[in-house]
Amino acid sequence: MKRAFAPLLARRLAALLVLAFLSWNANAFDLADLQEQLRAAPVVRGHFVQQKFLRSLPQPLTSRGDFTLATGKGLLWLLRTPIAQDLRIDAAGISRRDETGKWQALPQRSGASRENQLFLSVLAGDTAGLRENFDLTLTGESTAWQLVLTPRSALLRQIFDSIRIDGAALVDRIELRETQGDRSVLQMTDAVAAQTLTAEEQRAFAD
């Protein structure tokens, strides 16, 4: 009887382990889940604090301001300190709003368009777009996750060691580590999701 009981117990334990694994696998938070979660918010607005840590300086360069990220349109990046400057970043490039309220396209250096698109993809958590240039490693769950981007191409490896994105319902923090030892940290604070743009934001993206 004892001999028959042991194999039966082993089979039951094995079945429980299989069920536990299948249950964990079904509930695992993956890249598709992350992209769906972030795309559920077509508009995100809030405040930001950006710090640039340079090896040559004892203190980081810090800027603060407000942002609006709109799916399919781009990013409004409104600097408040140390200088006041309104920027718009989209697939076409970077524009700056002048004293008259008009948007003026800024000159782009070679490869800038690709960098702009990368920046938008990082902020929006566009995992499909990011996968074209990076190996992605996602850990955590929907309420607290971390995405690490490791560059694939030789060109990007000359610029970045890695990019780390932390978030929950939305992106909270982005850290870019550069190959020469400098790094940038972007904190998104008081970010809220919305379904529509304000009238002012609509005009800013339309001009």
Side-chain angles (χ1 to χ4, degrees):
M1 183 67 178
K2 289 182 179 179
R3 290 180 180 178
F5 178 74
L8 178 62
L9 179 61
R11 286 196 296 271
R12 287 180 176 176
L13 286 173
L16 287 173
L17 287 172
V18 169
L19 288 173
F21 172 78
L22 291 175
S23 175
W24 174 85
N25 193 52
N27 296 323
F29 186 62
D30 60 18
L31 291 171
D33 295 328
L34 173 60
Q35 181 155 297
E36 182 179 357
Q37 175 172 302
L38 294 176
R39 285 187 172 177
V43 177
V44 178
R45 59 175 68 93
H47 309 302
F48 70 83
V49 178
Q50 187 172 19
Q51 292 182 297
K52 179 75 173 181
F53 296 85
L54 302 175
R55 293 173 301 160
S56 57
L57 295 177
Q59 299 294 329
L61 302 174
T62 302
S63 59
R64 291 178 170 83
D66 306 309
F67 74 92
T68 298
L69 179 68
T71 301
K73 293 184 178 296
L75 173 72
L76 295 178
W77 199 249
L78 311 179
L79 288 165
R80 296 295 176 249
T81 61
I83 60 172
Q85 183 173 252
D86 293 353
L87 300 175
R88 184 182 64 196
I89 304 172
D90 56 25
I94 302 178
S95 300
R96 180 174 57 201
R97 185 151 46 190
D98 63 20
E99 296 80 4
T100 67
K102 298 289 187 179
W103 291 96
Q104 303 292 334
L106 297 179
Q108 293 195 71
R109 66 184 184 280
S110 177
S113 178
R114 183 179 182 181
E115 292 176 13
N116 294 338
Q117 191 57 51
L118 170 61
F119 185 55
L120 290 174
S121 295
V122 168
L123 278 177
D126 178 12
T127 58
L130 293 172
R131 215 174 323 196
E132 296 177 4
N133 297 297
F134 296 90
D135 291 322
L136 308 184
T137 303
L138 176 65
T139 56
E141 53 192 23
S142 62
T143 55
W145 52 267
Q146 181 182 108
L147 180 64
V148 177
L149 286 63
T150 305
R152 287 180 177 176
S153 70
L155 177 61
L156 285 174
R157 285 198 297 268
Q158 292 176 9
I159 305 171
F160 302 113
D161 277 337
S162 65
I163 300 174
R164 170 179 158 176
I165 311 171
D166 295 274
L170 303 169
V171 173
D172 296 328
R173 183 180 184 274
I174 300 171
E175 180 175 351
L176 295 88
R177 291 186 173 271
E178 301 177 21
T179 53
Q180 73 268 28
D182 298 336
R183 65 188 180 96
S184 299
V185 176
L186 179 62
Q187 295 274 5
M188 325 293 280
T189 62
D190 301 319
V192 294
Q195 294 299 311
T196 59
L197 293 168
T198 66
E200 182 180 352
E201 290 167 344
Q202 288 176 352
R203 286 193 296 271
F205 282 115
D207 291 345

